[in-house]
Amino acid sequence: METFLIRALQLILSLSLLVIIHEGGHFFFARLFKIRVEKFYIFFDPWFSLFKYKPKNSDTEYGVGWLPLGGYCKISGMIDESMDTEQMKQPAQPWEFRSKPAWQRLLVMIGGVLMNFLLALFIYSMILYTWGDSYVALKDMTYGMKFNEHAQEIGFRDGDILKSADGKELERFNMDLLRDIVEAREVTVLRDGQEKKILMPELSLLDIAKEDPLFMGTLHPNVVDSVLAGGSFAKAGIQKGDSLLAFNDVPLNSWNDFMNEMSDLRVKAELAQQTTASFSLVYSRAGVRDTVAVQTNENFKVDAIGGLADYKVTTHSYSFFGSFPAGIALGVNTLKGYVNDMKYVFTAEGAKSVGGFGTIGSIFPKVWDWQRFWEMTAFLSIILAFMNILPIPALDGGHVLFLLYEIIARRKPSDKFLERAQMVGMLLLFALLIWANFNDVLRFLF
């Protein structure tokens, strides 16, 4: 319950910030061009609001709605999610959106997307300025990588050190690395001190990302790093520094192998409706081998940590002004990766992977971590900017599309057409919202 509340609080705080910035972008350009803004709301307020306030001598009512699906900025003389068609039947007023030149209306509509993108770049810059950029370079991962059966069929081997994909140097272990490898035709690895070329087949990043065990992961040595007093390993006599050699007569070459065997053991035990399990373990201490029986606890844990490699950590620190070019580069690269991965959404598997608020909330850490919070907020800001600029009616991109048509054709679409387009767009968005959250429910239940 505590984990749920922490994640929920982070999600609400992050989305509230993003909504304020997004709607603030529309508000800024509207007021810049002397367009009246009737409402500025965080979250939607059908039938009632949680809070509202209208300053004296102001045309704008500020408030907080009860439906946390976004927010809105009600601009006079515009067909938007408020569907205020009565206002559009009245003669146009000079302070209304529809009375302004097309270029001004265009800036009002892209203001939200622009502010979200700039916010993401600013957050990324401040993250680099505050915490720097620390990572373990692939070339310094001297134990190499651990590959699943699929990867080994392609030609990878446990212990391979990744060097390049289609000639592009591979620097760090993250989603960009997986993306580069999936899209490459040839991957170069360092194996036993020699470079090897691996020819890559056609792969789907979506399929690769869902594989269990993972397509690739860091290879951890089969050495126990720490043992919890009173835990299963401690009771069996296993100590820090012991090397694990075999699990139920299956050879162990890494801590990854040990964890895979533990996972298989748990599955078998649960199918047999057992709450614990036991196994034999061969280990070595100071060159002397021994075999012990290990009984897991009720969570199928052995209360030990293993395979921590003492890799060199590369750290880049940034001055305040130096953080901005690096933050911009990071933000642009994040956007490019997200746009590139959008093609998977239009596949059957991609549609099943679409998630709602539960999925979004799950990307936040279980404990409060400001660095991770800001990283996720910047990422969500990138997503919000991109999704809103898509040329779909009811989104900012739909309004932009119609405005570009007006600029090029030199005539406006009719109000009736815009009303119908807005309605269709809202129905599509609600359908997508229902589908995404339905997927979350299915994942929770099954």
Side-chain angles (χ1 to χ4, degrees), residues 43-187:
F43 306 147
F44 294 118
D45 63 328
W47 306 296
F48 69 94
S49 60
L50 299 178
F51 167 81
K52 61 182 179 181
Y53 172 69
K54 188 173 183 179
K56 187 177 180 181
N57 301 323
S58 173
D59 297 316
T60 307
E61 177 183 291
Y62 303 89
V64 178
W66 61 270
L67 189 60
L69 301 180
Y72 71 99
C73 192
K74 188 178 185 307
I75 298 173
S76 295
M78 175 184 170
I79 298 173
D80 57 11
E81 57 269 22
S82 69
M83 296 304 294
D84 188 357
T85 56
E86 290 302 317
Q87 185 182 74
M88 302 303 293
K89 295 177 182 177
Q90 306 301 318
Q93 301 298 322
W95 63 78
E96 289 186 332
F97 179 82
R98 55 180 164 166
S99 302
K100 302 300 179 178
W103 68 270
Q104 292 186 4
R105 286 180 280 135
L106 183 63
L107 285 175
V108 171
M109 294 318 305
I110 66 173
V113 168
L114 177 63
M115 290 303 175
N116 275 132
F117 187 61
L118 291 178
L119 173 67
L121 299 184
F122 178 75
I123 292 176
Y124 279 131
S125 299
M126 291 301 95
I127 288 172
L128 294 176
Y129 170 66
T130 305
W131 290 285
D133 183 18
S134 296
Y135 62 96
V136 176
L138 289 172
K139 63 182 178 61
D140 294 325
M141 291 184 176
T142 52
Y143 285 101
M145 308 297 288
K146 175 72 177 178
F147 299 92
N148 68 7
E149 185 176 350
H150 182 197
Q152 300 215 20
E153 289 174 355
I154 294 172
F156 293 99
R157 296 292 178 266
D158 289 347
D160 283 351
I161 299 175
L162 299 168
K163 290 185 64 67
S164 64
D166 286 343
K168 175 185 176 182
E169 182 182 359
L170 300 174
E171 184 180 10
R172 63 180 78 185
F173 183 53
N174 55 15
M175 185 55 73
D176 286 339
L177 167 69
L178 198 58
R179 188 180 294 115
D180 289 337
I181 288 179
V182 165
E183 296 177 353
R185 301 278 64 85
E186 182 181 82
V187 175

Side-chain angles (χ1 to χ4, degrees), residues 201-329:
E202 292 288 337
L203 296 172
S204 164
L205 180 62
L206 185 62
D207 292 337
I208 292 298
K210 293 168 62 177
E211 290 184 355
D212 185 21
L214 297 174
F215 184 82
M216 71 173 67
T218 54
L219 183 63
H220 300 288
N222 55 341
V223 178
V224 179
D225 182 79
S226 61
V227 176
L228 180 65
S232 298
F233 259 21
K235 291 177 180 178
I238 304 299
Q239 300 177 8
K240 176 179 179 179
D242 289 350
S243 298
L244 308 186
L245 305 179
F247 184 109
N248 284 345
D249 297 326
V250 177
L252 300 176
N253 296 311
S254 65
W255 187 264
N256 308 67
D257 289 341
F258 171 74
M259 294 306 296
N260 289 340
E261 293 298 326
M262 285 292 297
S263 178
D264 291 343
L265 181 70
R266 175 172 187 163
V267 171
K268 293 176 183 177
E270 289 179 340
L271 288 175
Q273 297 184 333
Q274 298 173 348
T275 57
T276 64
S278 60
F279 59 92
S280 66
L281 183 69
V282 179
Y283 71 96
S284 172
R285 181 184 303 158
V288 178
R289 295 164 60 101
D290 197 3
T291 303
V292 294
V294 180
Q295 180 74 35
T296 71
N297 63 21
E298 292 186 355
N299 294 317
F300 298 96
K301 303 294 185 182
V302 294
D303 300 318
I305 298 175
L308 298 181
D310 187 20
Y311 291 139
K312 171 189 172 184
V313 177
T314 299
T315 300
H316 296 294
S317 298
Y318 296 91
S319 65
F320 180 76
F321 292 106
S323 68
F324 288 100
I328 292 171

Side-chain angles (χ1 to χ4, degrees), residues 345-369:
V345 173
F346 303 101
T347 65
E349 284 300 314
K352 294 178 183 177
S353 299
V354 173
F357 292 108
T359 298
I360 297 173
S362 68
I363 70 176
F364 287 93
K366 297 179 181 180
V367 296
W368 198 284
D369 182 331

Side-chain angles (χ1 to χ4, degrees), residues 433-445:
L433 184 66
I434 293 170
W435 174 254
N437 286 283
F438 177 68
N439 281 342
D440 282 350
V441 173
L442 290 180
R443 293 189 192 101
F444 176 77
L445 294 177

